[in-house]
Amino acid sequence: MAKVNLDALIPREDFEVEENIIQGKKKETISIEDFKPDSFFFPYLRKPDFQRETNEWDAKKIAEFIYSFLTGDLIPAIILWRSTSGYLFTIDGAHRLSSIFAWINDDYGDGKISKLFYDGIVPEEQLTIADNTRKIINKKIGSYVDYKLAGSHPDKVRTDIVERVKNLAALAIQLQWVEGDASKAENSFFKINQQAAPIDKTELKLLKKRRKPNSIAARAII
């Protein structure tokens, strides 16, 4: 099955080089409310500028993950790092976060956020894949709009949605935090992502030496 492009949903940002001096207890979980565009969480979420595209999951895997979240199944913790600028960087979990955000915004690579990211020029293949993903998710799970409607008008939506929406307010995803400066966060990112899906040796070299002239030139050519 074709892979779904969710790359536009979490913006990229360069890691800070300053020492991380943020104090205080951090959030231990995130709920459905944190995924809303007007929350105090998701607007500050970022991916490292060197992270690969968020396009490794197909429609079936996205649907299965959202279903697991909505039914309270065990989900691996999301690993984050907070910079001195206040941005929350995804060290591990970009696909998981993007999948739920895609469902809430009905954007599987063809919605408002994605079109803005691609300056309105979205490839026809991506549009087709996005539409197919939407159909699969709406059939298996139901749209986020239907879940919102179920709270006030349960008679207007499917019974399985009504049952799941009752638990939505209590569901949460565990968070883990990387403590330390930008260098510690970067090392954690490479270590974790090498274990999950090994990065090509040449790509890894370019990423780790991305501030060197040769790496900058390579990215410019690409």
Side-chain angles (χ1 to χ4, degrees), residues 55-67:
N55 60 0
E56 289 299 314
W57 286 14
D58 59 26
K60 182 180 179 181
K61 189 166 185 177
I62 293 173
E64 287 176 347
F65 174 75
I66 298 172
Y67 183 80

Side-chain angles (χ1 to χ4, degrees), residues 4-12 47-49 51-56 94-95 98-99 102 107-110 113-114 117-118 126:
V4 184
N5 193 332
L6 303 179
D7 199 47
L9 301 181
I10 301 177
R12 282 181 172 77
K47 290 182 289 195
D49 62 337
Q51 183 169 339
R52 290 175 288 182
E53 288 187 320
T54 311
N55 60 0
E56 289 299 314
H95 278 85
S98 296
S99 295
D107 188 343
Y108 303 101
D110 64 343
I113 299 172
S114 292
F117 181 80
Y118 294 108
Q126 184 171 322

Side-chain angles (χ1 to χ4, degrees), residues 79-192:
I79 302 178
L80 303 175
W81 172 72
R82 188 178 189 224
S83 71
T84 52
S85 62
Y87 286 130
L88 310 175
F89 284 91
T90 59
I91 303 301
D92 185 53
H95 278 85
R96 280 165 277 164
L97 292 171
S98 296
S99 295
I100 297 178
F101 196 56
W103 177 62
I104 289 176
N105 289 273
D106 193 34
D107 188 343
Y108 303 101
D110 64 343
K112 182 179 179 180
I113 299 172
S114 292
K115 287 179 179 176
L116 184 63
F117 181 80
Y118 294 108
D119 294 325
I121 305 174
V122 181
E124 190 64 35
E125 182 182 8
Q126 184 171 322
L127 292 173
T128 301
I129 294 172
D131 186 58
N132 181 56
T133 302
R134 183 176 294 104
K135 290 176 181 177
I136 291 174
I137 289 176
N138 287 351
K139 180 179 180 181
K140 179 180 177 63
I141 302 166
S143 69
Y144 178 72
V145 173
D146 284 344
Y147 280 74
K148 294 283 289 183
L149 183 62
S152 56
H153 298 86
D155 57 313
K156 302 294 184 181
V157 297
R158 293 169 3 203
T159 55
D160 61 316
I161 294 177
V162 174
E163 288 303 310
R164 284 195 291 270
V165 80
K166 294 176 182 177
N167 300 319
L168 197 53
L171 297 175
I173 299 177
Q174 190 72 32
L175 294 179
Q176 291 182 2
W177 295 90
V178 173
E179 301 295 343
D181 58 15
S183 176
K184 179 67 178 294
E186 184 174 321
N187 290 337
S188 297
F189 176 87
F190 285 124
K191 183 178 180 180
I192 292 170

